[in-house]
């Protein structure tokens, strides 16, 4: 079905980690881009997974980079799904539903 989501936008990987450390905020899914200022998506994903209570966090990579390139960069730390930019709102919604 069609669901509405509350979206919290983080301008960087560091900002994303700060939001996750705020216990008042409940996050169900993280959508990560590969290219971000300061800290790229791979580095951000590794940092998120290193937080004990975040190791099972649902993470979707939303990027124009080829999946192979991301997986080569990641090595053993994988997102739950990949979406290639640009994707329609429907495609994004389906991806979010599929990981929840």
């Amino acid at each position: 079905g069609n669901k509405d989501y509350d979206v919290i936008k983080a301008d960087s990987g560091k900002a994303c980690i700060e939001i996750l450390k705020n216990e008042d905020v409940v996050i169900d899914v993280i959508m990560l881009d590969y290219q971000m200022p300061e800290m790229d998506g791979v580095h951000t994903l590794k940092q998120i997974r290193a937080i004990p209570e975040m190791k099972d966090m649902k993470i979707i990579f939303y990027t124009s980079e080829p999946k192979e390139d991301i997986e080569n960069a990641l090595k053993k730390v994988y997102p739950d799904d990949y979406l290639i930019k640009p994707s329609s709102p429907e495609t994004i919604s389906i991806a979010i539903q599929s990981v929840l």
Side-chain angles (χ1 to χ4, degrees), residues 3-66:
K3 280 205 170 140
D4 286 328
Y5 301 100
D6 291 326
V7 176
I8 301 170
K9 185 176 180 295
D11 292 322
S12 68
K14 281 193 176 132
C16 174
I17 304 284
E18 288 308 308
I19 292 165
L20 290 173
K21 288 181 176 170
N22 177 351
E23 273 136 40
D24 300 330
V25 181
V26 177
I27 305 227
D28 298 312
V29 180
I30 297 170
M31 290 187 77
L32 268 186
D33 198 336
Y34 182 72
Q35 293 176 328
M36 294 189 293
E38 294 176 39
M39 194 162 72
D40 70 23
V42 168
H43 197 78
T44 304
L45 177 61
K46 287 179 178 171
Q47 286 214 354
I48 293 168
R49 292 281 193 236
I51 302 167
E53 53 277 17
M54 293 290 153
K55 66 182 196 323
D56 297 322
M57 171 59 76
K58 299 300 179 197
I59 298 173
I60 300 171
F61 247 99
Y62 182 49
T63 182
S64 45
E65 306 288 321

Side-chain angles (χ1 to χ4, degrees), residues 74-92:
L74 282 166
K75 297 186 181 62
K76 299 192 181 83
V77 189
Y78 297 107
D80 296 282
D81 202 356
Y82 294 89
L83 273 179
I84 300 302
K85 286 181 175 181
S87 293
S88 69
E90 292 78 15
T91 305
I92 294 169

